[in-house]
Amino acid sequence: MNKPGPSLACAGLAIMVGLTSCASEAPKREQELNQQPGVTASMQPKDAYANIPLDQIEEVVTDIDFLWDPGDPLYGYNNYPIVARVYIESIDGGRTFSPISNQSVFPQTVGKMTIREVYKGDVKPDAQVTYSRAGGTVTYEDYWSSLNQAQKDKILGLNHGGKPGDTKYLQAKIMDDIDVELGKEYLAFLLPESSTDGKLHEYLITGYQYGLREAKGSGAAATVLNNQTHTWESLGRFVKLP
């Protein structure tokens, strides 16, 4: 069965992989925006990660098992309810608690995106919606609070009984996945989600590195980036076009 994101059990395994320095490009992207003629601070897209100092972030990479057939280019198209080209309007930050599921989650990135073109599913072009995606940057305290006692005990055991004290922020990633980037367009496989009271709605970007591919162009002429081969391929390889 497909799983839209890693379970919290993966969080404990993440620390066991080890911490390495994060090489985020967010501050560079923010500087480039500042240098664009006619772009003021109030006009700039929001990237909540851009203001976090790089030397305060540690990266945790988690390897998980999930069902995906990389040999079938249409696997995502056939198995997820919504397929669209989207534009990332903002990166609002990371979270370890989802108000949609009302429970702790593996760190996620959340923000706003605009639907550009719809290839499958019940969503309208030009709609601006909230997205969430597995992998995100959070404070270490938020991460620690999201763990169950067994997961905390594993971390304490690897750190001679103490909680890591030098890490202010933690960037959790799934192995081989890509980071969502502000101001880019992507081919995305989406799963709509709502809170139990029906007041909150968002779209979960699924499939990790297979479910989010950078896109260029529009219509049948659009191309998308293959995250495994790093080559640009025809949109029609991944979706069924009219």
Side-chain angles (χ1 to χ4, degrees):
M1 177 178 295
N2 282 308
K3 295 193 180 293
S7 66
L8 188 59
C10 295
L13 297 176
I15 292 294
M16 299 179 68
V17 176
L19 297 176
T20 59
S21 296
C22 173
S24 170
E25 291 294 324
K28 179 180 178 181
R29 293 197 300 275
E30 182 181 49
Q31 183 179 25
E32 289 171 349
L33 282 171
N34 290 337
Q35 295 172 349
Q36 291 181 11
V39 175
T40 64
S42 62
M43 295 166 57
Q44 294 171 14
K46 178 183 177 182
D47 185 349
Y49 294 154
N51 295 321
I52 302 176
L54 292 180
D55 61 1
Q56 295 181 14
I57 303 174
E58 298 292 339
E59 184 181 89
V60 172
V61 178
T62 301
D63 190 12
I64 67 169
D65 293 325
F66 73 104
L67 183 60
W68 194 278
D69 182 2
D72 179 6
L74 293 176
Y75 184 84
Y77 181 89
N78 291 330
N79 283 276
Y80 288 101
I82 297 176
V83 182
R85 178 167 58 86
V86 304
Y87 175 81
I88 302 300
E89 299 281 358
S90 70
I91 296 174
D92 295 340
R95 71 184 185 192
T96 57
F97 183 87
S98 169
I100 299 295
S101 61
N102 197 35
Q103 65 182 8
S104 295
V105 293
F106 184 86
Q108 296 178 327
T109 294
V110 295
K112 296 292 189 300
M113 65 182 181
T114 297
I115 305 296
R116 295 295 201 212
E117 291 183 335
V118 180
Y119 310 114
K120 177 185 177 182
D122 185 19
V123 65
K124 302 299 183 183
D126 299 324
Q128 188 179 82
V129 299
T130 299
Y131 70 84
S132 62
R133 188 168 188 264
T137 301
V138 298
T139 66
Y140 194 86
E141 287 302 318
D142 282 347
Y143 176 77
W144 182 262
S145 297
S146 73
L147 303 180
N148 61 39
Q149 192 56 51
Q151 293 162 341
K152 292 178 180 179
D153 288 343
K154 287 182 180 180
I155 296 173
L156 294 173
L158 291 171
N159 288 275
H160 308 291
K163 186 173 69 172
D166 297 332
T167 302
K168 293 185 178 180
Y169 294 91
L170 182 144
Q171 184 189 34
K173 295 185 65 173
I174 304 302
M175 186 172 291
D176 297 327
D177 200 0
I178 65 168
D179 294 325
V180 61
E181 296 187 55
L182 185 69
K184 285 191 174 183
E185 291 192 353
Y186 295 92
L187 171 65
F189 300 131
L190 307 173
L191 187 66
E193 296 187 321
S194 299
S195 58
T196 54
D197 61 9
K199 294 181 179 180
L200 300 176
H201 307 275
E202 66 184 33
Y203 291 82
L204 178 66
I205 301 175
T206 63
Y208 311 115
Q209 71 269 27
Y210 299 107
L212 192 69
R213 296 180 172 95
E214 187 177 349
K216 292 182 179 180
S218 61
T223 57
V224 296
L225 185 63
N226 186 314
N227 292 323
Q228 284 65 55
T229 64
H230 304 290
T231 57
W232 291 90
E233 299 179 343
S234 169
L235 172 67
R237 174 173 167 78
F238 300 102
V239 305
K240 294 179 181 178
L241 297 172

